[in-house]
Amino acid sequence: MSGTYEFDSAPTPEEAEKLVKRMSTGANLSDQTTGGNTITNTKDDKVLKIATFSLQKYLKEPEFAAEFLERGGLESLCDIISKVSGNTLAYALNSFTSLMNHEASWDSLTEEFISDIAHILVTETLVTICRPATAILIKVVCAADERSPTQTATFNNNSNNKHNEENVIGYSALHKVLQQEPQLFSTLIQRLQSPDYALCLNSLTLLTSMLKHVTDDYRSELLENIDNSNTRKNVLRLMNNHPSEELKEQLLEFQSAMIHNADRRRKTQISMYNPRHAKMMNDIWNCAHVENIQIPGARKWRKLGFSSEVPHREFGRAGAFGLERMHAFARQNEDMFAKMILEQLHRQDGKRCPFAKASIEVTELLCSHWNITTGYIAAEFEPLLMNFDHVHSTTLQCFYRLFQDMEATTSDFSKVSALVRSQLRATLKSDGIKDIYEFDRVMLGTPYSVIRDRRLKELEWADDLLGREAIRNLRNRLNKQSFDFIKRQRINCLLQGGWFPSPQSNQRIVAMATGNSISTSTAANAVTVGGLGGPSGSGSGSNNSNKRWRYYKLSPSRKALMYGDFAEKYPAVIKSCDTLPNKVDLAEVVEIKPFSRKPSTLSNMITESTNSLSFALFADNNLPLAEFNCSSTAQSSEWKDGFSMLLDKGITSKDTAEYLHSLTEIGVKVKLLQIAGDRIEVPHGQIDVPPVPAGLGSGFYYTTD
């Protein structure tokens, strides 16, 4: 802070530097006072504007940022943001985002400041202001996961910090802001259609972060806001508008976050003591309008197709997600719903299609088809999946139609379910189904005879079994076994080690290709990034000039990555870690993501064509700890997913996800061959729960887990 920094225009650098110092020490923005009131003159306004403009750049430097924080600059910057407007506000917000990339002390933030940022986001229209304001809220929501271990330990040692963390960090902090600024959510949805690319991307990223970090206390409310808004419609519009790679990646993240939340809701059991669950059940009952219809043996819930008067026990694996889909159908199609219930009540007891049971069955069919029950990995856009309620409604109507066309009885419920599954699978796999309207036409317009004949012509015996409850449980178990097998295989690749081009060598190759020499700053950057930033580097000067290859190898303890630089790729496998003098502590790795160098125009072209094969391990300060320029997709998936699975971050590549799916399906088919040889009959659907034995009381019931 003591050095002189050049500014772009008047006032003088000395005046601007003086104001920066006064900002960082928390002093008033002007020395002129009248009657105890601060007066900021025009010159100080101009100095402040240029100072905040310069701070955007200076605060990216760790040394400058550290001294700025030590002098209380964070508090002053927060105060400035709450008082200024226009370009000065935009510069101050950008400065704050730069500061948040460093290990700033979160305990100095306040709820009022977070509220101010949300208010700015809602009321301001300049994209230069809205972009950094949205970025700040993203940091607030994700801050609990992005803090370094040192910051976490510091926080845990201070009870006041713990209390403040709950108020300014994580989704709970944003939830309080949403109560104060109810227009914030709708503003984010509206800006998904902003012509400014960065603002659109930031808005989508904030919505995705909210879905990823929402706690169970607020999950239902957030998902309800999304269901009642145009969120899905605007996201689908972005999907259909040929998004860039960066936007496409964020859209897939949003799609995955939506499904992961659906999975969490599916695993949440129904309780009539839960006010929200009780309200949804009562809404469904009120929409049916059957309170005045008398049915022998049915007091209330049996009229809606439940098998007992204790409905919450019948949702099983559909959980709260199944209740929400049933509630959405009843509310969005109230007239149709009431008509369906009334028609069934006027049928004979054994020929009624039970609405509640059918709705739950359809939810489970859709969850099974999209693999929501075993973990969903978004690899491509699935517009129909984003229209889950509409798909559920159409499939449920198809269920009723087939039940009526085949003149089924209650005992034929599983057969109708098999027909619906066959029609659903054929429709969703059809190349001609591009949108929800085409889906409706095929599902509801295909004659029963066509569906029946297709079902009869499914020659492969396993087709009939793969959707059954017992086989779904088998697939879940084999999926976990296959995942463990792949994890061991990938980690064994890391333990064996492999050869990769040296980062310094890559830099020289690019320079030779472009006819340029490597500048001093670029070379320094190569040592910082390629040499892993300091003591873990493998030397300097001419000794490194011929070392074109680097060998990486996971240590036997699996806690460190060993490596060394060599002139030749020999031997093919280095068995001992003794010849690898350098290491990376894997405890410092917080993220694994694509990485590439862009020192010239030609290198940009090269990078774009090989970007999917390159990745790096990053520390919490966004410093790459190790670079991997893989020679094939197989090597990329083995090493990238090896580190990801070792660090318990799951599967990241499409190749490994497809490999996991193939292993699971092969395992299922092998098991089915054994079952066929033993002539064992696999039951359709869930086995009916037997009645409660007499004398055990009303508190006794069977668990279906």
Side-chain angles (χ1 to χ4, degrees):
M1 292 284 291
S2 59
T4 299
Y5 300 92
E6 295 183 0
F7 291 78
D8 296 329
S9 61
T12 65
E14 291 76 13
E15 291 176 317
E17 183 186 0
K18 180 180 179 182
L19 182 55
V20 171
K21 289 182 177 180
R22 285 156 54 193
M23 288 165 55
S24 66
T25 56
N28 291 331
L29 299 181
S30 175
D31 292 330
Q32 302 178 12
T33 58
T34 303
N37 297 322
T38 301
I39 299 176
T40 305
N41 56 33
T42 304
K43 186 175 182 180
D44 274 349
D45 284 341
K46 191 172 183 179
V47 173
L48 176 61
K49 183 176 182 179
I50 297 180
T52 51
F53 176 82
S54 300
L55 275 178
Q56 299 174 99
K57 177 179 65 175
Y58 296 146
L59 286 176
K60 295 178 182 179
E61 301 297 330
E63 296 81 4
F64 186 95
E67 190 166 349
F68 185 83
L69 288 171
E70 288 178 4
R71 300 191 179 194
L74 180 62
E75 293 83 349
S76 295
L77 195 54
C78 292
D79 182 61
I80 290 171
I81 290 173
S82 65
K83 295 179 180 179
V84 298
S85 60
N87 288 335
T88 305
L89 176 59
Y91 301 151
L93 290 171
N94 278 318
S95 299
F96 194 89
T97 57
S98 298
L99 198 59
M100 293 181 81
N101 293 327
H102 304 287
E103 294 190 359
S105 178
W106 288 100
D107 60 320
S108 60
L109 293 184
T110 63
E111 294 181 63
E112 291 75 18
F113 176 74
I114 305 299
S115 298
D116 288 342
I117 297 297
H119 183 71
I120 290 170
L121 185 59
V122 171
T123 57
E124 293 287 347
T125 57
L126 287 175
V127 294
T128 54
I129 294 176
C130 295
R131 283 198 302 257
T134 308
I136 291 173
L137 291 185
I138 294 172
K139 285 283 188 178
V140 168
V141 175
C142 304
D145 292 341
E146 294 182 353
R147 287 205 317 269
S148 66
T150 303
Q151 289 175 294
T152 302
T154 303
F155 251 97
N156 292 339
N157 292 332
N158 190 320
S159 59
N160 293 331
N161 285 347
K162 287 182 180 180
H163 175 73
N164 191 64
E165 178 185 14
E166 297 176 357
N167 296 328
V168 301
I169 284 181
Y171 183 83
S172 58
L174 190 61
H175 179 77
K176 294 179 181 178
V177 170
L178 286 170
Q179 307 304 309
Q180 301 169 9
E181 294 286 346
Q183 297 301 315
L184 175 60
F185 195 85
S186 59
T187 300
L188 292 175
I189 304 305
Q190 180 182 359
R191 285 176 181 163
L192 290 179
Q193 300 305 315
S194 171
D196 184 80
Y197 173 79
L199 181 57
C200 171
L201 180 62
N202 277 1
S203 300
L204 179 62
T205 304
L206 179 54
L207 289 169
T208 304
S209 300
M210 292 165 65
L211 285 169
K212 284 184 175 182
H213 295 86
V214 63
T215 59
D216 291 337
D217 295 336
Y218 310 117
R219 191 181 310 278
S220 298
E221 184 176 348
L222 175 62
L223 295 178
E224 186 174 345
N225 285 337
I226 290 177
D227 290 337
N228 295 335
S229 65
N230 291 325
T231 307
R232 298 173 190 269
K233 179 180 178 181
N234 288 336
V235 169
L236 285 170
R237 191 177 301 168
L238 290 175
M239 289 180 175
N240 295 328
N241 200 28
H242 306 291
S244 65
E245 284 300 318
E246 188 178 15
L247 183 57
K248 179 181 178 180
E249 181 180 352
Q250 195 57 232
L251 287 168
L252 291 175
E253 287 283 339
F254 179 87
Q255 183 173 300
S256 296
M258 285 292 297
I259 300 308
H260 293 160
N261 276 276
D263 187 41
R264 294 291 295 270
R265 301 298 299 149
R266 186 185 61 82
K267 294 175 181 177
T268 302
Q269 295 301 307
I270 303 299
S271 171
M272 297 304 287
Y273 295 102
N274 184 311
R276 184 171 180 272
H277 296 172
K279 181 180 183 302
M280 284 193 289
M281 291 296 296
N282 288 330
D283 287 345
I284 294 172
W285 168 254
N286 293 331
C287 289
H289 305 298
V290 294
E291 59 273 5
N292 296 325
I293 299 178
Q294 301 300 320
I295 302 295
R299 295 196 304 271
K300 182 176 181 180
W301 298 113
R302 287 178 185 270
K303 296 179 183 180
L304 302 186
F306 290 99
S307 59
S308 71
E309 295 296 333
V310 190
H312 62 278
R313 295 179 181 171
E314 300 184 26
F315 283 91
R317 291 174 176 80
F321 186 66
L323 173 59
E324 290 164 354
R325 305 290 68 79
M326 187 186 299
H327 179 263
F329 180 87
R331 293 297 298 271
Q332 296 171 11
N333 310 277
E334 186 170 345
D335 292 340
M336 182 196 302
F337 169 63
K339 182 179 179 181
M340 292 168 67
I341 297 295
L342 188 61
E343 286 181 352
Q344 299 306 312
L345 291 180
H346 283 88
R347 294 176 180 269
Q348 296 180 12
D349 187 20
K351 294 186 177 181
R352 296 172 186 157
C353 180
F355 169 81
K357 187 175 182 180
S359 177
I360 295 170
E361 180 71 8
V362 166
T363 300
E364 292 187 352
L365 286 177
L366 294 174
C367 288
S368 176
H369 177 81
W370 276 308
N371 204 28
I372 293 176
T373 54
T374 56
Y376 176 82
I377 301 174
E380 59 184 359
F381 295 150
E382 299 192 60
L384 293 178
L385 179 56
M386 297 300 294
N387 278 304
F388 196 100
D389 279 343
H390 194 131
V391 173
H392 173 271
S393 173
T394 301
T395 308
L396 183 55
Q397 294 175 60
C398 179
F399 196 106
Y400 261 71
R401 179 174 68 88
L402 294 179
F403 194 97
Q404 180 178 350
D405 290 348
M406 69 181 292
E407 298 180 353
T409 63
T410 305
S411 60
D412 295 325
F413 187 89
S414 61
K415 296 179 182 178
V416 179
S417 177
L419 283 175
V420 173
R421 183 187 301 110
S422 175
Q423 173 67 359
L424 180 67
R425 182 168 59 237
T427 303
L428 292 177
K429 288 185 177 180
S430 174
D431 294 334
I433 306 302
K434 300 298 183 182
D435 54 41
I436 191 66
Y437 305 107
E438 189 67 17
F439 174 81
D440 290 348
R441 186 187 66 80
V442 175
M443 284 292 290
L444 300 178
T446 305
Y448 163 67
S449 58
V450 174
I451 300 174
R452 179 197 59 200
D453 293 343
R454 184 200 305 120
R455 178 66 178 165
L456 294 175
K457 292 178 181 178
E458 291 175 340
L459 300 177
E460 186 176 356
W461 178 75
D463 264 358
D464 181 45
L465 298 177
L466 294 179
R468 300 186 186 182
E469 183 68 22
I471 303 304
R472 289 204 296 265
N473 293 335
L474 172 64
R475 181 183 284 107
N476 292 343
R477 187 170 70 252
L478 292 177
N479 182 270
K480 184 179 184 303
Q481 293 176 2
S482 300
F483 181 90
D484 293 336
F485 170 81
I486 293 175
K487 181 177 181 179
R488 290 194 300 271
Q489 187 269 336
R490 295 293 191 251
I491 293 177
N492 284 337
C493 288
L494 305 185
L495 290 170
Q496 177 177 309
W499 290 100
F500 296 86
S502 174
Q504 295 94 332
S505 176
N506 291 343
Q507 191 85 3
R508 288 190 297 274
I509 291 173
V510 170
M512 292 171 63
T514 58
N516 298 325
S517 60
I518 303 177
S519 65
T520 305
S521 60
T522 306
N525 182 60
V527 173
T528 302
V529 179
L532 310 180
S536 57
S538 58
S540 60
S542 60
N543 292 334
N544 264 347
S545 60
N546 296 323
K547 295 183 177 181
R548 300 181 298 121
W549 301 100
R550 175 169 292 180
Y551 193 94
Y552 287 108
K553 183 182 181 70
L554 182 65
S555 67
S557 67
R558 303 186 180 185
K559 295 182 179 180
L561 177 66
M562 313 302 296
Y563 74 93
D565 292 333
F566 302 88
E568 300 292 337
K569 292 172 59 175
Y570 182 83
V573 176
I574 297 180
K575 297 183 178 180
S576 174
C577 292
D578 296 337
T579 57
L580 306 175
N582 312 303
K583 71 175 182 178
V584 174
D585 186 1
L586 294 181
E588 298 178 3
V589 177
V590 298
E591 190 174 9
I592 304 169
K593 60 183 180 181
F595 177 81
S596 59
R597 299 177 178 278
K598 298 182 180 180
S600 68
T601 302
L602 179 59
S603 87
N604 284 341
M605 297 167 57
I606 297 173
T607 300
E608 290 174 3
S609 64
T610 60
N611 187 43
S612 61
L613 301 182
S614 302
F615 69 96
L617 309 180
F618 285 80
D620 60 349
N621 56 0
N622 206 33
L623 175 70
L625 300 174
E627 292 179 46
F628 301 85
N629 296 304
C630 303
S631 58
S632 65
T633 56
Q635 186 185 43
S636 176
S637 63
E638 286 178 349
W639 280 76
K640 188 176 182 180
D641 283 319
F643 286 116
S644 183
M645 298 169 102
L646 177 65
L647 300 174
D648 294 327
K649 296 182 179 294
I651 293 175
T652 59
S653 70
K654 184 178 180 179
D655 288 347
T656 303
E658 292 175 349
Y659 184 32
L660 172 62
H661 177 75
S662 298
L663 282 181
T664 302
E665 293 305 310
I666 291 172
V668 170
K669 291 181 179 180
V670 170
K671 292 292 184 182
L672 289 179
L673 288 174
Q674 296 173 355
I675 293 174
D678 295 334
R679 297 183 181 275
I680 299 174
E681 176 64 21
V682 180
H684 284 276
Q686 296 186 12
I687 300 176
D688 291 335
V689 179
V692 176
L696 293 180
S698 60
F700 181 91
Y701 65 94
Y702 293 101
T703 178
T704 57
D705 294 337

